[in-house]
Amino acid sequence: MSGGEIAALIAAIAFALLVVFLIRLLLQISKTVTKVNQTVDEANTTIRVVTKDVDVLSSEVEGLLVKTNTLLNDVNGKVATIDPLFTAVADLSESVSDLNHSGKQAISKLSAVTKTTAQATVAGKVGQTALKFFKQRNDNQ
């Protein structure tokens, strides 16, 4: 074997090794691409499912918002109906307070009149006693 044949043999072996490594690399790339395609398919399926779920949830939320608005309008209407009641209760409370104050003043005046009447009664009794005393004195003289 000559030097050229040995060089050709070494080149052929190197080329064969290169081809083997390239084949292994291509097989790994092929497996990776297959797994990436499966992952993309699963992601697309998941996105479709999530999109459907979001559409359903969006419809339900929209329905809830409509019901909430209706309920809020109903509550606002009922509160507007009750407002005069609260005004009347406030007015009644003020009237009761005024009546209570007037009652206290009347009791104070009645107490003063009672005290004055008691004093007048005592003065009247003293006057009667004095009158009897003077009558007896005049009768004795």
Side-chain angles (χ1 to χ4, degrees):
M1 247 203 229
S2 68
E5 290 177 344
I6 293 177
L9 183 62
I10 292 174
I13 292 173
F15 185 72
L17 287 175
L18 179 65
V19 169
V20 168
F21 284 118
L22 283 176
I23 288 173
R24 287 186 71 199
L25 179 65
L26 288 174
L27 287 174
Q28 287 294 331
I29 290 174
S30 174
K31 288 180 184 178
T32 303
V33 168
T34 302
K35 287 184 179 182
V36 167
N37 282 337
Q38 288 174 350
T39 303
V40 168
D41 289 340
E42 288 177 15
N44 284 336
T45 302
T46 303
I47 288 172
R48 274 190 236 104
V49 168
V50 168
T51 302
K52 287 179 185 176
D53 290 346
V54 167
D55 289 342
V56 169
L57 284 174
S58 175
S59 297
E60 289 180 8
V61 166
E62 186 176 336
L64 284 173
L65 285 174
V66 168
K67 288 179 182 178
T68 301
N69 285 337
T70 303
L71 181 62
L72 185 61
N73 287 336
D74 184 43
V75 168
N76 284 337
K78 288 178 179 173
V79 166
T81 303
I82 299 174
D83 277 345
L85 174 66
F86 288 121
T87 303
V89 167
D91 290 345
L92 179 63
S93 173
E94 189 175 328
S95 296
V96 167
S97 178
D98 290 345
L99 181 62
N100 189 18
H101 181 70
S102 297
K104 286 180 181 178
Q105 284 181 340
I107 289 172
S108 294
K109 288 180 182 177
L110 182 62
S111 176
V113 167
T114 303
K115 200 181 267 185
T116 305
T117 304
Q119 289 172 350
T121 303
V122 168
K125 296 260 184 196
V126 168
Q128 275 182 338
T129 305
L131 184 61
K132 282 182 187 177
F133 177 73
F134 285 122
K135 276 186 183 181
Q136 285 176 359
R137 193 168 166 207
N138 284 340
D139 289 337
N140 288 339
Q141 287 180 356

